[in-house]
C-alpha cells in the first residue's frame, strides 16, 4: 500500500510557491509496539504553518526540509498495537499533511461518539462531525474562547471588535461575545459576501469589508462609542485602528497577524501606541498551547451551543491530499469561510 505525504523542499521567501513543496509517495508504515496506524480522514490547514516553514526562531520548531510536514488531523485507526485504542476508533492527532500516519498511542486522542458523549449536534443525538474537532470544537475554537475570556478579560456589556471575522477563529470569537452578553460586536473581513454572512447569519451588530476603505474610518463608523476589546487576527492597519478606537481600560488580545506572515521586510508598527497610556489600555499576545487547561470547560460550555445551532459555523472543504497545499495557500489568500479543511 502506498501513502502520499507533503514534504517541504525549500523555505519560502514571501508567498510560498508550489516548487517549495512536493507530494511524495512512501510505503504505508507498520505500527510498532504501543503504536497505532491511522488512515487520515480530515486534515487541518492553518495560518501558523507558514511560520513553521521558516527557519526563524519561534515558539515551535520549524518543519524540516525534505521531510513530511505536520498539522492537526482526524482519522480512523486501521491497525493497533496499543491498549485502549481499537481498530475503527477515530482519533485526533498532529500528523497531518499525509494519508497514513503511524504514532505512539499517547499522541492519539480518541474522538467521536464514545469519546465525548456530552457533545451532540442534533435531536437525533448524533455526535459532532469529525471535522469539528479541527475547528469549532478544536484548536481554533479553543483559541477563540481562551483569547476572548482569558487574554482579553471579556465581560458582559463590552463592545468587541474582531478582525478575520469570517474565518475559523474570528467567526467563533464574535458569536461567543454575543452569546456571553457583549453590548455590540463588530467584525471585519475581506469580501462583501463575508460581511453579509457576519451580520445576517452570525448576528454581528456591524461588519465592514477592510478592502473597501481605510480600516480606522470604517471602524469609527461601526463603533461610534469606541471598543472595549479588540481580538486581533490580522495586525497592521487593523491594530492601529483598534488602538485609535480603544475605550478606557480597553484590552487587545493579539492572536495572529496574518497580514505580515508573507512579508519579506518587517512591517511598520502602529503609530498611535501612546493612546494606551491615556486609555490605560492593555495589549497582550497569547498562544492557544498555553490554555489547554480550559479545554474541558470550553467543550462543556460551547458544545451545547454548537449542538443547538446557537453558535453557527461553516467549513470550507477541499477534497484530496493532492489539494492540501492549494487549501493551505487558500487560507492565506482568504478563499475560506470558516475553518479550511481537507477531506481525504
Ligand atoms: N495565537 C494562537 O494560538 C493562534 C491559534 C490559531 C490561530 N491563530 C491566528 O488566528 C488568525 C486566524 O486563524 P484561523 O485559523 O482562524 O484562519 P482563518 O481566519 O480561517 O483564515 C485566515 C483568514 O485571514 C484573512 N486574511 C488573509 N490575509 C489577510 C490580510 N492581509 N489582512 C486581513 N485579513 C487577511 C483571510 O480572510 P479575509 O477574506 O477576511 O481577508 C483568511 O480567510 C491567524 O492570524 C492565525 O495565525 C493564532
Amino acid at each position: 500500500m502506498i501513502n502520499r505525504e507533503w514534504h517541504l523542499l525549500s523555505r519560502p521567501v514571501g508567498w510560498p510557491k508550489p516548487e517549495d513543496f512536493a507530494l511524495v509517495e512512501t510505503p504505508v508504515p507498520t505500527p510498532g509496539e504501543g503504536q497505532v496506524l491511522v488512515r487520515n480522514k480530515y486534515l487541518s490547514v492553518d495560518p501558523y504553518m507558514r511560520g513553521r516553514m521558516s527557519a526563524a526562531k519561534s515558539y515551535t520548531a520549524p518543519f524540516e526540509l525534505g521531510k513530511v510536514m505536520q498539522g492537526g488531523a482526524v482519522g480512523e485507526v486501521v491497525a493497533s498495537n496499543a491498549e485502549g485504542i481499537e481498530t475503527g476508533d477515530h482519533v485526533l492527532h498532529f500528523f497531518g499533511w499525509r494519508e497514513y500516519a503511524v504514532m505512539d498511542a499517547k499522541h492519539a486522542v480518541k474522538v467521536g461518539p464514545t469519546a465525548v458523549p456530552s457533545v451532540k449536534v442534533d435531536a437525533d443525538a448524533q455526535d459532532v462531525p469529525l471535522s469539528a474537532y479541527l475547528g469549532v470544537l478544536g484548536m481554533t475554537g479553543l483559541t477563540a474562547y481562551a483569547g476572548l475570556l482569558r487574554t482579553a478579560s471579556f465581560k458582559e456589556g463590552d463592545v468587541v471588535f474582531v478582525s478575520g471575522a469570517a474565518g475559523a477563529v474570528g467567526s467563533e470569537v464574535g458569536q461567543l461575545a454575543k452569546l456571553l452578553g457583549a453590548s455590540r460586536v463588530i467584525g471585519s473581513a475581506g469580501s462583501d459576501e463575508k460581511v453579509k454572512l457576519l451580520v445576517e447569519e452570525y448576528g454581528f451588530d456591524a461588519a465592514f469589508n477592510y478592502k473597501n476603505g481605510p480600516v480606522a474610518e470604517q471602524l469609527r463608523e461601526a463603533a461610534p462609542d469606541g471598543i472595549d476589546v479588540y481580538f486581533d487576527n490580522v495586525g497592521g492597519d487593523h491594530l492601529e485602528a483598534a488602538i485609535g478606537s480603544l475605550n478606557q481600560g480597553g484590552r487587545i488580545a493579539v492572536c495572529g497577524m496574518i497580514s505580515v506572515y508573507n512579508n519579506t521586510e518587517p512591517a511598520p508598527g502602529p503609530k498611535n501606541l501612546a493612546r494606551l497610556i491615556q486609555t490605560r489600555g492593555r495589549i497582550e499576545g497569547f498562544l492557544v498551547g498555553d490554555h489547554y487547561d480550559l479545554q474541558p470547560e470550553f467543550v462543556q460550555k460551547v458544545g451545547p451551543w454548537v449542538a443547538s445551532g446557537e453558535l453557527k459555523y461553516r467549513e470550507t472543504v477541499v477534497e484530496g491530499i493532492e489539494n492540501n497545499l492549494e487549501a493551505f495557500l487558500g487560507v492565506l489568500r482568504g478563499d475560506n469561510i470558516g475553518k479550511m479543511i481537507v477531506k481525504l
Side-chain angles (χ1 to χ4, degrees):
M1 284 204 301
I2 294 295
N3 165 57
R4 287 178 296 169
E5 56 186 39
W6 280 95
H7 289 199
L8 180 66
L9 299 185
S10 48
R11 306 213 176 273
V13 178
W15 275 83
K17 295 179 291 302
E19 49 274 29
D20 295 323
F21 308 87
L23 183 60
V24 174
E25 291 193 350
T26 62
V28 171
T30 309
E33 198 46 45
Q35 291 191 320
V36 293
L37 174 67
V38 178
R39 185 173 62 79
N40 284 332
K41 289 186 162 181
Y42 296 99
L43 307 176
S44 184
V45 279
D46 300 271
Y48 77 82
M49 291 168 172
R50 177 65 187 85
R52 292 198 68 188
M53 291 168 189
S54 147
K57 195 168 183 298
S58 185
Y59 58 93
T60 183
F63 291 140
E64 289 181 59
L65 290 181
K67 298 230 170 105
V68 59
M69 294 183 287
Q70 293 176 326
V74 176
E76 182 180 348
V77 175
V78 290
S80 175
N81 286 332
E83 243 177 70
I85 301 188
E86 312 294 333
T87 301
D89 282 346
H90 286 103
V91 291
L92 171 68
H93 60 88
F94 209 65
F95 301 93
W97 288 91
R98 70 198 84 181
E99 289 176 306
Y100 287 89
V102 81
M103 69 202 74
D104 291 344
K106 66 176 182 212
H107 296 308
V109 177
K110 274 210 245 182
V111 293
T114 49
V116 195
S118 58
V119 181
K120 309 289 182 197
V121 277
D122 64 25
D124 296 322
Q126 291 295 307
D127 219 62
V128 293
L130 288 173
S131 56
Y133 295 102
L134 299 176
V136 67
L137 289 176
M139 183 275 281
T140 53
L142 181 63
T143 303
Y145 188 81
L148 183 66
L149 290 177
R150 200 172 254 175
T151 311
S153 310
F154 170 83
K155 55 185 187 334
E156 217 179 307
D158 278 345
V159 177
V160 175
F161 171 46
V162 55
S163 53
V169 174
S171 58
E172 201 154 343
V173 168
Q175 292 184 79
L176 282 175
K178 281 300 278 187
L179 285 161
L180 294 167
S183 61
R184 188 170 175 78
V185 173
I186 301 119
S188 69
S191 76
D192 293 345
E193 183 202 355
K194 290 183 181 182
V195 165
K196 195 164 175 254
L197 175 84
L198 294 179
V199 177
E200 293 182 2
E201 194 170 316
Y202 295 160
F204 282 53
D205 298 287
F208 60 87
N209 179 347
Y210 66 85
K211 292 175 182 165
N212 283 351
V215 178
E217 274 173 32
Q218 297 199 76
L219 178 59
R220 268 197 301 274
E221 210 170 292
D225 298 325
I227 60 171
D228 303 303
V229 166
Y230 172 48
F231 193 107
D232 192 13
N233 286 316
V234 162
D237 51 358
H238 273 85
L239 179 56
E240 187 169 295
I243 294 171
S245 280
L246 206 63
N247 289 335
Q248 285 290 321
R251 288 88 63 204
I252 296 177
V254 181
C255 173
M257 292 201 176
I258 199 166
S259 71
V260 309
Y261 292 173
N262 287 312
N263 281 7
T264 48
E265 296 292 327
K271 292 193 286 286
N272 54 355
L273 282 173
R275 264 209 101 241
L276 295 175
I277 307 165
Q278 301 146 29
T279 58
R280 288 79 162 168
R282 171 162 68 79
I283 176 166
E284 184 178 334
F286 74 99
L287 280 173
V288 63
D290 296 334
H291 299 281
Y292 270 90
D293 60 300
L294 286 177
Q295 174 78 12
E297 171 191 315
F298 159 65
V299 173
Q300 219 164 25
K301 197 156 185 176
V302 179
W305 284 334
V306 174
S308 65
E310 282 169 280
L311 195 148
K312 298 181 178 56
Y313 71 100
R314 294 238 195 144
E315 291 171 345
T316 301
V317 181
V318 168
E319 298 216 4
I321 187 78
E322 62 281 7
N323 294 316
N324 201 156
L325 175 63
E326 221 5 67
F328 166 70
L329 296 174
V331 172
L332 301 182
R333 282 192 301 259
D335 292 355
N336 58 309
I337 293 181
K339 182 81 186 82
M340 181 72 100
I341 301 274
V342 180
K343 184 170 187 272
L344 301 187

